[in-house]
Amino acid sequence: MNRVTLFFGILVSGAIAAAAVLQPGTHAVKSMPAPTDGGPGESSDDLHRQQVWMESMHNHAPGVDWRSMDAATRKNLTLLRTRQTAQIARGIRPAELSAVPVGVWHERGANNWGGRVSAVDYDPTADRLTVFAHGGELWRSTRANLNWQSLNDGRYFKSNFAMQNFVRLAAVGTTPERLIAADDTAHGFFYSDDGGAHWTASDTTNYPANWIETSYMIARDPGGSQVYALVADNTTVPYQVYLLASGDRGATWTNLGAQGGENTVALFAMGQGSGLVYLLNGSTFDRIEPGNSLTALTSISSAPTPGANDQIGLAGGLTTGTGTPFFYAFYEVHGATSATDKTDVFTSIDGATTWTAAAATVPAVSYIRVAAGTSSFNPLIACYGSVNLFCTHDGGATFAAVNDWSDYYANVGTKLHADLSFVKSYLISPGNEVFFIGTDGGIFESTDGMQTVKNDNPTGLRSGQYYGSYTGRSAPYYISIGAQDQGYQNSSAPSSGNATFAQVVSGDYASLTSSNDGGTLWLNYAGSTIVDGAPGSHPLNSVQLNFPSWDFVNDGHLDKNNMLFLPPLLAYPGNPNSALLSTATAGTTENFNITQLTWDGADTITAATGTNNFGSSVTAMATAGGTFFATANNGSGASFFTTANPMGAWTQTVTTLPQGYYLTGQAILPDPSTAGVIYVCGSGYSNPGVYVSIDSGTSFNPMNTGMPNTLVHSLAISPDGKNLFAATDVGPYYYDRSASSWTFIGTGAPANSYWNVEFLPALNAARFSTFGRGLWDYDMGGGDLIFREGFE
C-alpha cells in the first residue's frame, strides 16, 4: 500500500516549543553598535539606503517590471502548490519531484520574535486579532492566549514598499467572514471567504492604470459591504492616489478618481457602528457618503503646505456621552536636519466644524509610514509614530514619547520596539478600549490609554524577516540569524521544532560567515562589522552584548553612502579571527576595495585596505583551494575577479557574466567536489539568474533551465556536489542534475521570499531564511519524510 506523509508546514513540523518570554531587567543595556540617525538601522537615510540596496539587487533592463514578473511567477507557483498538495494527499508523488531527494519541511522559528507588522484588525466580540505582517503573511490569534497561526502559507502578498493593507468584513447570517488583502506587485485586491486558505482576485476593470502602492484600505462598517482604498499610480511623480470604492465586499471596485499626491491624502473610518468615513486631502476635509459622493466639511486653513517628502495623517473618535466626532490631523514638516523635524497637529472637537492648532508639536516625522491614532472616545488622547511613538493625554498641549526605542531591549515585554507603522484603538465596551501598535518588532497593545504597553509577539508570531543564517557545524548546532531590525538572533541549543532565540544585538544584520565551522562568527550591521567569539554560548536572556566592532565611518573613514547597505563579508580561510569586507573609500576619485579586518581576540579590530580598485562595490565573495573570487558591477553587467592574494591585484575575467546584461552578483559558490566549477547567482529578470563556470571563472554559461525570471539570492551545495539548492525571491529550488533543470520544492513550505540557504552536512538538511516567515529546513535526514522509499 502506498503511503505518504503530507508536509504542510506547521501541521507536521512538531509541537511548537513554548516561547521564552523575556523578562524586564534581565538584559545588559549597552547598545552595540550605536544606532544611526536616531533609530536602529531603520530610519532616515538608512531606510533610504536599504530601499536603494534592495532595488539594486533586482537589476534589470530598462522598462522591465520585475515586480510584475515575480507576481506572475507566484501565481503559477500557487497553482502548482495546489495540484501537488492534492496529489500528495492521494498518495501520488508529483512527477516534478521525482529526482528531488526525499525530505520534509520543518519550521525552525524564531518562535519569540516578530518582524514588522503593517496593519491590524480586532474583533471585540470574538476577542480575536488579525495582523498583516510586512513579510506578506496574515496572522491570527485570540488575545486571551496569543497562540498565533498563519492564515496564508500558500499565498504570499507582496508590498512594493513599506505599506501592507487588508480589511476584515464580519460574517453576517449565512455570509461568511471575508478577508480582503492588497498585493501591490500583483496590482490588485484579493479576497478569501475561508480564513485565508483560498484567494480570489477582485475584478480589475477600474483599477488605476499603473498601480504601484496601496496607501490606505478601510471598511465603512465591518458588518457591512462597503470598502474603500487609496491606490497610488506611478504615471507621474509625485505619485497620485485614486480613491477606489467597493459595494460588494471587495469583489468589484469603482474608481472615484485622482485625489492628490500619495503623501498628502489620508483615509479614515470612524468605526464603532457609526458608518462614518472621511478623506483629508491636503487641508481639505471631506466626508465620504454611503453613495460615494464627497461632502466638503471644512478646511484646515492654518495647516502647512506639505513639502516634497512631508506626509499627513488623520484619526479620530466619538466623544463619550455626546457621540460628537473629534479629529486629529497631523502635518509633517521636514527640517534642514533630523533634529529640526516636527509634525504639526490640528484638532477638532465639534465634528470638524472648526479646527485649532495644538499647543505642542510632535518632535519628529514618520520614517516608514504614517502612524496616526486616537482614543475611540477620549478627545484628550492621540498618538503619532516615528522611530518612537509620541502621545498626548491633554488634547495636544504636550506630546511625549511612550518610551525611547532603546528602552525596549531591557524590557521587551513592556516597552515599544522602534519604527512605528500604525496605532489603532478599538472600543470593547463603553469607556473601555484597547490600542494596538505596529512596529518593526511586531505588535503591542495598551489597555490604559497608552500609559503602558504590552508585547503581544513572543508566543508564536513567527513573522521574522531574515537576511540569512549561520549554523554551527557541531552539536548542538547553534543557530545564528541576521534579521531586519530584530537584530542578531541566536539559539545556542535549538529545539527540534520552532526554536526560541536570544536577540543579542539590535539592528539589521547579514553576511554571517565563519571559517572555523562556527567557532568564530563575523557579521555585518548597517554601518559596522562585528565579531562574535563564542556564538554558541548565548543564553536566551542575553541582549545587547558588547561585541568587538569596526565602524565603517568612525573607524574606517569609509564612504558609507556609496557602500551597499549590508555589504558582503567573507571569513578568511585558515584565520578565523580575520574577514574580508567590501568597502568604498572616498578620495579624489571613488575607490571600491576589499578591506581585511583582523580581531585581536579581545576588544579591538584593525583594518588594512587592499590595493585593487574594483570600479564599483564588490557584491559577492568566495574562496576555494587557495583562490579567492569576487563579483562587482560594471555598469552593463557584473565582472568576475580571481586572485591568490585578496589584498593585492585581482584578475578580471568576464565583464558581462557572461552573455547577459544587468546581472548583479549576489552569491558565488565553488563546487566542493569538482575543482574549477563555480556557480554564480543574482538578478535574473533580463538574463539567466544562475551561471556556472567549469574553468575556475575564466568563462561562464547559463544554468537557468527551470528557473523563472527572478532574483536568486543564494546557493548552497552538499559536500559531494550532488545536491544544489537555491533561495529565490519566489521560493526554494533544487537542481535536478539528471534533467539539468531547476525544480521548485516549496510545496509544504510557506510561500514567501527566500533570501538565504545553507547546507548542513551533519543534519543532511538545507536551511532557508525567509524574509517574512522565519527559518525553515528541508530535512533529508530521517524517517519523517515527504515520501518514504518505495512508497511503502
Side-chain angles (χ1 to χ4, degrees), residues 13 35 44 249 257 328 463 610 715:
S13 59
S44 190
R249 296 166 61 89
Y328 279 71
S463 58
L715 300 169

Side-chain angles (χ1 to χ4, degrees), residues 173-234:
T174 59
T175 302
E177 176 191 66
R178 173 166 289 185
L179 299 172
I180 311 170
D183 187 327
D184 290 333
T185 63
H187 310 303
F189 297 118
F190 298 80
Y191 59 89
S192 173
D193 293 336
D194 56 7
H198 301 89
W199 294 85
T200 301
S202 300
D203 180 80
T204 64
T205 303
N206 294 310
Y207 287 166
N210 294 288
W211 178 313
I212 188 69
E213 184 173 33
T214 312
S215 57
Y216 287 88
M217 194 173 179
I218 55 96
R220 181 178 291 276
D221 186 328
S225 58
Q226 287 189 293
V227 184
Y228 296 89
L230 289 177
V231 174
D233 183 289
N234 68 353

Side-chain angles (χ1 to χ4, degrees), residues 607-625:
T609 300
T611 59
N612 197 80
N613 183 4
F614 290 85
S616 66
S617 292
V618 169
T619 55
M621 291 183 285
T623 183

Side-chain angles (χ1 to χ4, degrees), residues 369-661:
R369 59 168 298 178
V370 172
T374 72
S375 166
S376 296
F377 58 85
N378 185 347
L380 298 179
I381 301 175
C383 301
Y384 194 77
S386 176
V387 173
N388 296 322
L389 181 63
F390 297 88
C391 294
T392 181
H393 293 86
D394 52 20
T398 60
F399 278 89
V402 174
N403 60 263
D404 186 73
W405 69 267
S406 61
D407 297 336
Y408 164 80
Y409 298 98
N411 306 275
V412 297
T414 58
K415 299 295 182 181
L416 290 175
H417 190 281
D419 300 336
L420 280 297
S421 50
F422 62 80
V423 53
K424 191 171 183 180
S425 169
Y426 289 86
L427 192 66
I428 299 174
S429 60
N432 181 23
E433 65 183 334
V434 57
F435 286 82
F436 295 103
I437 308 101
T439 77
D440 264 20
I443 188 166
F444 295 73
E445 69 170 69
S446 175
T447 55
D448 58 6
M450 293 304 301
Q451 298 290 341
T452 62
V453 299
K454 180 176 77 71
N455 190 333
D456 283 348
N457 306 286
T459 50
L461 187 62
R462 304 177 304 281
S463 58
Q465 294 170 286
Y466 293 154
Y467 295 116
S469 70
Y470 186 89
T471 302
R473 298 311 195 242
S474 60
Y477 309 107
Y478 79 78
I479 305 174
S480 291
I481 298 172
Q484 190 280 136
D485 213 16
Q486 276 285 47
Y488 166 38
Q489 299 177 18
N490 185 281
S491 184
S492 58
S495 61
S496 60
N498 280 309
T500 55
F501 286 72
Q503 183 179 171
V504 290
V505 183
S506 67
D508 291 53
Y509 288 88
S511 300
L512 287 73
T513 178
S514 174
S515 61
N516 62 348
D517 292 337
T520 304
L521 187 67
W522 292 82
L523 58 161
N524 272 341
Y525 169 71
S528 64
T529 297
I530 72 170
V531 60
D532 185 350
S537 64
H538 303 306
L540 284 176
N541 63 352
S542 61
V543 175
Q544 296 288 8
L545 297 181
N546 186 14
F547 293 114
S549 70
W550 189 79
D551 187 272
F552 298 162
V553 175
N554 296 326
D555 295 322
H557 309 292
L558 300 176
D559 185 357
K560 177 181 168 182
N561 289 329
N562 273 329
M563 290 177 62
L564 300 176
F565 178 69
L566 290 165
L569 185 67
L570 175 67
Y572 205 99
N575 185 359
N577 284 13
S578 185
L580 302 176
L581 172 70
S582 169
T583 55
T585 57
T588 305
T589 59
E590 194 81 23
N591 289 304
F592 296 91
N593 317 97
I594 284 177
T595 295
Q596 184 172 1
L597 304 177
T598 302
W599 175 45
D600 67 358
D603 299 323
T604 303
I605 296 175
T606 57
T609 300
T611 59
N612 197 80
N613 183 4
F614 290 85
S616 66
S617 292
V618 169
T619 55
M621 291 183 285
T623 183
T627 302
F628 294 82
F629 311 101
T631 53
N633 292 342
N634 59 30
S636 61
S639 298
F640 192 82
F641 299 84
T642 69
T643 188
N645 175 17
M647 303 307 292
W650 288 68
T651 300
Q652 179 177 280
T653 58
V654 299
T655 57
T656 55
L657 197 51
Q659 305 98 329
Y661 290 90

